[in-house]
């Protein structure tokens, strides 16, 4: 089967990061984040950006590692907006309740206006950290530095002052004396009592010589000790005559000996492992050749299928576009149909109300009841009018009778 990298490169899916992947590829984001922080310090972000948001300064790996995605996304959008404004373009300050998709889209549009090509999906920026987020901020900060007319200068090496050889020799002598003093201070009092040093031997020799000169007799002394006594004395003092020189780990001679020892060990190990490495190299080469031949065979066998797959993929894209266009027309017609259906329902409801009002006999019954009530009231009123007329006629007749009686009565005599 095809290797994954070759297959992805033939289909156009291999990214530059995958192609350049290596032992240090995983730390590229951290290095770029440190460079980004240095560039932000050149723009004085700690005085303008940090104080406005009232937040702590960013650490050198803030956007390279995941700590708090919500906080990182908010700081990422805020910092991107500040850098876009630094490039001379207007950009509103993002808020926490804003739509993240619209905010990311606005940032990518501003990035395209600067002239940066965006070749990754926008969803990668929703997490607020990672390689894509660092790349976006790095491109924006470069544009901001360019807008601020900032330029990088070549480093100027510091001129070295040449010193005289005599002063160097004096300093080396002083350093050597200090090292000797430190080495002498490390030895304990007990070791000095039990060990016999070279200086002690020399001093002992000089002291013995001076003492011998002082106590030298006039005549030649002859030894009275036999050979057995000398041997016994030699065996007794022989352990004390052992001279021990304690080496210091900081001495360059010990380092040189260790280097030579390691070099000899490396040469011995290389002699034994070189044959094994050569054999392993030969096996790997044969295996790679077999894999290459198998890949060529599989490529020749799968080439028609790949061509057919690409053709079907193009046909699917064309049908998807056609379906999108047709679905747009269906949506518009569905909206018109819903509007017409709503108007039809309102007309039906109005017609039902009018039909029910036309076939309803309740108003006619109410009118008849009202007419009957009016007739009853008219009859009662006529009865009352008749009673009043009769009462009025009786009053008039009574008044007439009284008037007639008054006229027929004799006149009164006044006294």
């Amino acid at each position: 089967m095809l290797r994954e990298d070759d297959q992805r490169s033939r289909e156009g899916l291999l990214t530059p990061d995958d192609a350049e992947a290596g032992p240090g590829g995983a730390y590229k984001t951290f290095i770029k984040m440190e460079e980004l922080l240095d560039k932000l310090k050149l723009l004085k972000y700690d005085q303008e950006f940090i104080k406005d948001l009232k937040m702590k300064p960013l650490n050198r790996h803030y956007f390279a590692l995941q700590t708090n995605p919500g906080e990182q996304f908010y700081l990422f959008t805020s910092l991107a907006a500040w850098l876009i404004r630094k490039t001379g373009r207007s950009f509103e300050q993002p808020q926490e309740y804003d739509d993240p998709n619209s905010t990311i889209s606005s940032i990518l549009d501003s990035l395209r206006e600067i002239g940066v090509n965006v070749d990754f999906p926008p969803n990668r920026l929703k997490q607020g950290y990672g390689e894509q987020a660092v790349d976006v901020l790095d491109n924006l900060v470069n544009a901001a530095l360019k807008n601020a007319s900032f330029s990088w200068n070549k480093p100027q090496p510091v001129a070295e002052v040449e010193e005289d050889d005599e002063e160097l020799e004096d300093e080396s002598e002083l350093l050597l004396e200090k090292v000797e003093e430190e080495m002498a201070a490390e030895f304990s009092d007990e070791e000095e009592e039990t060990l016999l040093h070279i200086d002690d031997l020399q001093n002992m020799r000089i002291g013995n010589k001076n003492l011998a000169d002082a106590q030298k007799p006039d005549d030649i002394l002859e030894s009275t000790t036999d050979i057995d006594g000398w041997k016994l004395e030699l065996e007794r003092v022989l352990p004390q005559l052992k001279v021990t020189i304690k080496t210091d780990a900081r001495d360059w001679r010990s380092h040189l000996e260790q280097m030579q020892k390691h070099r000899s060990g490396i040469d011995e190990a290389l002699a034994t492992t070189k044959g094994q490495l050569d054999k392993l190299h030969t096996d790997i080469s044969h295996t790679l050749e077999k894999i290459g031949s198998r890949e060529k065979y599989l490529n020749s066998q799968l080439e028609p299928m790949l061509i057919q797959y690409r053709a079907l993929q193009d046909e699917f894209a064309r049908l998807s576009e056609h379906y999108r266009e047709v679905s747009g027309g269906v949506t518009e017609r569905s909206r018109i149909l819903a509007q017409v259906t709503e108007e039809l329902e309102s007309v039906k409801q109005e017609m039902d109300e009018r039909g029910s009002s036309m076939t309803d006999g309740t108003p006619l019954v109410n009118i008849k009841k009202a007419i009957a009530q009016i007739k009853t009231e008219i009859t009662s009123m006529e009865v009352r009018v008749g009673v009043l007329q009769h009462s009025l006629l009786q009053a008039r007749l009574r008044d007439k009778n009284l008037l007639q009686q008054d006229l027929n009565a004799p006149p009164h005599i006044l006294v």
Side-chain angles (χ1 to χ4, degrees):
M1 295 180 66
L2 288 172
R3 286 184 299 178
E4 185 178 0
D5 293 343
D6 294 338
Q7 186 175 2
R8 293 177 63 188
S9 62
R10 291 186 179 91
E11 295 180 1
L13 300 176
L14 186 61
T15 60
D17 296 337
D18 294 334
E20 298 178 0
Y27 305 98
K28 183 174 65 175
T29 306
F30 297 91
I31 297 173
K32 188 172 289 188
M33 179 61 201
E34 293 179 0
E35 295 176 355
L36 171 64
L37 193 60
D38 294 336
K39 294 175 184 178
L40 289 175
K41 291 179 180 178
L42 294 176
L43 290 174
K44 299 179 180 180
Y45 90 109
D46 50 350
Q47 300 178 3
E48 300 179 8
F49 178 72
I50 297 298
K51 290 184 178 180
D52 292 342
L53 292 182
K54 297 180 181 180
M55 55 172 287
K56 296 181 180 179
L58 303 176
N59 56 46
R60 58 195 185 107
H61 296 154
Y62 184 78
F63 291 112
L65 296 174
Q66 179 183 4
T67 55
N68 187 354
E71 178 185 355
Q72 286 179 307
F73 179 75
Y74 175 68
L75 290 179
F76 166 73
T77 54
S78 301
L79 185 58
W82 180 72
L83 291 174
I84 290 172
R85 289 194 294 271
K86 279 290 185 181
T87 59
R89 294 169 174 80
S90 60
F91 197 93
E92 296 182 357
Q93 177 66 26
Q95 303 297 330
E96 294 182 359
Y97 52 82
D98 291 345
D99 186 12
N101 294 324
S102 61
T103 304
I104 292 173
S105 178
S106 302
I107 293 173
L108 294 180
D109 291 339
S110 301
L111 201 64
R112 293 186 185 94
E113 291 177 1
I114 296 173
V116 179
N117 186 19
V118 179
D119 55 355
F120 56 86
N123 292 331
R124 293 288 184 87
L125 300 179
K126 281 188 178 181
Q127 56 190 3
Y129 69 93
E131 182 180 358
Q132 288 76 18
V134 176
D135 290 339
V136 170
L137 293 176
D138 186 64
N139 291 320
L140 290 175
V141 76
N142 290 334
L145 289 174
K146 184 177 181 181
N147 186 55
S149 300
F150 180 82
S151 60
W152 299 93
N153 298 326
K154 295 182 178 180
Q156 300 294 333
V158 180
E160 297 181 356
V161 180
E162 297 182 358
E163 298 179 355
D164 297 336
D165 296 337
E166 296 179 357
E167 295 179 357
L168 294 175
E169 291 178 357
D170 295 338
E171 291 181 357
S172 63
E173 291 177 358
L174 292 174
L175 292 174
L176 182 60
E177 292 177 357
K178 290 181 180 179
V179 171
E180 291 178 353
E181 292 176 359
E182 292 177 357
M183 291 173 60
E186 290 180 356
F187 297 121
S188 61
D189 297 338
E190 296 179 357
E191 292 177 351
E192 290 180 355
E193 291 178 358
T194 55
L195 298 178
L196 184 63
H197 299 281
I198 297 177
D199 296 336
D200 296 338
L201 291 176
Q202 187 175 0
N203 295 330
M204 187 182 297
R205 190 183 300 111
I206 294 172
N208 292 333
K209 185 177 180 181
N210 295 331
L211 184 63
D213 293 338
Q215 298 179 356
K216 186 175 182 181
D218 297 335
D219 298 333
I220 298 174
L221 296 177
E222 295 181 358
S223 177
T224 58
T225 306
D226 55 357
I227 189 169
D228 295 332
W230 274 108
K231 289 182 177 179
L232 291 174
E233 184 67 17
L234 180 62
E235 291 178 356
R236 185 180 67 82
V237 300
L238 184 62
Q240 300 180 3
L241 295 177
K242 184 178 180 181
V243 179
T244 304
I245 300 176
K246 187 176 181 180
T247 59
D248 189 7
R250 296 176 296 177
D251 190 7
W252 64 271
R253 296 179 183 84
S254 61
H255 294 171
L256 181 60
E257 291 177 358
Q258 291 179 0
M259 292 170 61
Q260 292 175 353
K261 186 185 296 183
H262 293 322
R263 178 61 182 272
S264 61
I266 291 171
D267 293 338
E268 293 176 359
L270 180 62
T272 56
T273 57
K274 186 175 181 180
Q276 299 177 0
L277 293 175
D278 293 337
K279 182 179 179 182
L280 183 61
H281 178 266
T282 305
D283 295 339
I284 292 173
S285 300
H286 290 313
T287 305
L288 289 176
E289 291 178 359
K290 292 180 181 178
I291 292 172
S293 61
R294 185 62 61 86
E295 286 180 358
K296 292 179 181 179
Y297 174 73
L298 290 176
N299 287 333
S300 62
Q301 294 292 326
L302 296 176
E303 189 66 25
M305 296 182 182
L306 291 175
I307 295 173
Q308 185 179 2
Y309 172 73
R310 294 191 184 97
L312 292 174
Q313 194 173 11
D314 295 338
E315 182 67 19
F316 174 73
R318 186 182 63 80
L319 293 176
S320 298
E321 184 67 22
H322 181 66
Y323 171 75
R324 193 179 297 110
E325 294 176 358
V326 173
S327 62
V330 171
T331 304
E332 181 67 20
R333 289 178 176 83
S334 299
R335 185 183 63 81
I336 296 173
L337 177 61
Q339 184 177 0
V340 171
T341 304
E342 184 178 358
E343 293 178 358
L344 180 61
E345 291 294 334
S346 62
V347 170
K348 285 183 179 181
Q349 185 178 1
E350 185 178 357
M351 289 177 65
D352 292 338
E353 290 178 356
R354 289 184 179 181
S356 62
S357 63
M358 290 174 64
T359 58
D360 191 9
T362 304
L364 183 58
V365 174
N366 294 332
I367 291 171
K368 288 181 179 181
K369 288 181 180 180
I371 292 173
Q373 186 178 1
I374 290 171
K375 287 180 179 181
T376 305
E377 291 178 356
I378 291 172
T379 304
S380 63
M381 289 297 291
E382 287 178 354
V383 172
R384 290 180 182 180
V385 170
V387 172
L388 289 175
Q389 288 179 355
H390 178 70
S391 300
L392 182 61
L393 181 59
Q394 291 292 332
R396 286 180 180 179
L397 291 174
R398 189 173 53 251
D399 292 339
K400 186 177 180 181
N401 291 330
L402 291 174
L403 180 61
Q404 191 174 4
Q405 289 177 4
D406 290 338
L407 290 177
N408 295 327
H412 294 281
I413 299 174
L414 296 175
V415 179

